[in-house]
Amino acid sequence: MNQLNSLIIEGNAVRKADFSEPKTGFYVCRFPVAVNRWYKNKNNEGVSEVSFFDVEAYGKVAETCNKKIDRGTGLRIVGRLKQDRWKDKDGKTQSKCYVIAEHIEYKPKFNEAPAPAQEADGAETETAAVTAATEEAEETVF
């Protein structure tokens, strides 16, 4: 019986995904994701920290990543951790953990400056347009 190895991370792509086809018909996409966390310390001061995770996707998920992921793309990744271990040239054991993406949701980019405030009648139209764009951008890929 397999033990549980599952995670969900939500963050932004650090750069465009690196897409390759190591064997005919087998696709791999690699990209780093930055995950921001904000909390208050014991002195009630706001603290911000960023964690970076390497992600790999395979098959159809990799093909979609290649088309959709660019620097700043918001992502929600459901997957698992994988650890590679090897011996270096000195015989010392090395290891690296990374995320294998099994499902990715794409979020809108929020790295542009917000639009200037509009009159009350125009605000409703702008909100509807942003909502429609957000719904369209949140496509789910299996």
Side-chain angles (χ1 to χ4, degrees), residues 9-115:
I9 59 171
E10 193 169 294
N12 296 314
V14 175
R15 64 177 170 268
K16 180 151 180 57
D18 176 33
F19 182 76
S20 64
E21 187 178 5
K23 294 181 185 175
T24 305
F26 179 71
Y27 305 109
V28 178
C29 204
R30 293 179 178 92
F31 54 94
V33 173
V35 177
N36 298 299
R37 178 173 181 257
W38 187 89
Y39 63 94
K40 287 189 176 184
N41 64 15
K42 64 182 179 182
N43 297 327
N44 208 26
E45 300 167 331
V47 178
S48 179
E49 68 180 28
V50 181
S51 297
F52 295 91
F53 299 97
D54 291 327
V55 180
E56 284 189 9
Y58 306 112
K60 293 279 186 193
V61 177
E63 288 182 274
T64 305
C65 287
N66 184 43
K67 294 174 190 168
K68 293 192 170 218
I69 294 179
D70 199 5
R71 183 175 188 265
T73 303
L75 304 166
R76 179 179 295 142
I77 300 166
V78 178
R80 61 187 169 85
L81 286 176
K82 174 140 174 60
Q83 180 184 34
D84 284 343
R85 297 185 341 183
W86 67 94
K87 301 256 186 204
D88 66 11
K89 62 182 179 183
D90 300 325
K92 186 174 178 185
T93 301
Q94 302 289 326
S95 72
K96 176 184 177 180
C97 287
Y98 54 97
V99 176
I100 302 294
E102 296 170 348
H103 171 82
I104 300 176
E105 294 176 19
Y106 299 89
K107 304 292 181 185
K109 282 179 153 181
F110 289 111
N111 58 351
E112 286 116 25

